[in-house]
Amino acid sequence: GHLIANGITRIISPESMQLYHSPKISLLIHLFRLIQDPEEEISLAYIVYYLRSLAAPGQHLSLHELFGAPLREKWSHLPEAFRLRRKEFRKLPLYELTEELTGIFGLNGSPDAYFQRFLDLLLEYLRNNSPSLRAFLEWWDENLNEESCSVILPSAENAIRVMSIHKSKGLQFPVVIIPFADWSMS
């Protein structure tokens, strides 16, 4: 908080680099869940929330109203290209499904490190695991906090890195800030 308040916004922490922090990746995962189970109301509500947030940025959306809306009404907010093909999507290979959803929901607009890493991760997953959507979602739920499910940044990235003393052991930095350092330096 102190760094941001003083104009330092380029802050990297292991937590902030996790793929699930990306709204695009969350949208894709919720789309996968909805394709797997069309009655998955939480995923459907998240997708509608995401789409309405994009359509009207900054506008307050009533989550109560959104979650309380009937299933059919929520489905009506989704693009027609998605609604018409939702049964077909279940049969597509996982990577092809991702590409189709990317096109329909306009996720490939601007270059995005999270999205690119997710596609790489998907290819890595498919090399060694079952290509089924259900199996991937189970794997994702078990592994989303793993280091492998995070953006890999170049070491030259000009930003403040937040890490534990344990993680920083053996590394060198021109400047190190130790919060709450109240021990003697002599």
Side-chain angles (χ1 to χ4, degrees):
H2 177 74
L3 295 172
I4 292 170
N6 286 282
I8 300 169
T9 56
R10 299 278 302 146
I11 301 169
I12 298 168
S13 71
E15 179 71 13
S16 70
M17 294 292 99
Q18 293 300 121
L19 292 178
Y20 66 83
H21 281 295
S22 163
K24 281 184 184 179
I25 305 306
S26 287
L27 175 66
L28 261 178
I29 296 296
H30 283 294
L31 285 166
F32 288 167
R33 291 189 200 288
L34 190 61
I35 289 165
Q36 183 69 35
D37 176 7
E39 304 288 311
E40 176 52 68
E41 289 214 45
I42 291 174
S43 288
L44 180 54
Y46 177 88
I47 295 162
V48 172
Y49 178 79
Y50 177 89
L51 294 173
R52 288 181 57 189
S53 297
L54 279 183
Q59 182 184 343
H60 175 71
L61 296 175
S62 164
L63 293 176
H64 178 72
E65 181 185 318
L66 187 63
F67 278 88
L71 200 62
R72 180 172 289 179
E73 185 184 321
K74 283 187 257 206
W75 269 98
S76 72
H77 289 282
L78 274 55
E80 189 177 10
F82 178 79
R83 290 195 320 260
L84 294 175
R85 296 177 59 202
R86 69 184 192 203
K87 287 182 180 152
E88 175 195 331
F89 286 142
R90 284 179 145 155
K91 299 176 186 124
L92 286 181
L94 195 51
Y95 199 87
E96 191 178 325
L97 171 63
T98 305
E99 288 180 325
E100 291 282 342
L101 296 175
T102 297
I104 290 170
F105 288 87
L107 300 177
N108 49 2
S110 56
D112 182 325
Y114 289 90
F115 192 70
Q116 193 54 55
R117 175 63 187 137
F118 181 78
L119 293 178
D120 292 346
L121 188 69
L122 196 54
L123 285 173
E124 289 168 25
Y125 169 83
L126 289 170
R127 253 185 246 123
N128 305 313
N129 298 282
S130 163
S132 88
L133 186 54
R134 182 180 305 280
F136 175 74
L137 287 171
E138 286 172 9
W139 178 88
W140 175 260
D141 288 340
E142 289 169 15
N143 292 280
L144 60 87
N145 285 306
E146 297 296 320
E147 205 171 309
S148 61
C149 290
S150 66
V151 175
I152 301 163
L153 287 172
S155 57
E157 185 71 23
N158 187 18
I160 290 180
R161 293 179 183 267
V162 178
M163 61 180 64
S164 68
I165 290 174
H166 176 75
K167 284 266 188 192
S168 67
K169 206 182 314 182
L171 300 176
Q172 292 182 23
F173 299 99
V175 176
V176 175
I177 300 169
I178 303 174
F180 314 112
D182 60 355
W183 56 85
S184 170
M185 296 294 201
S186 57

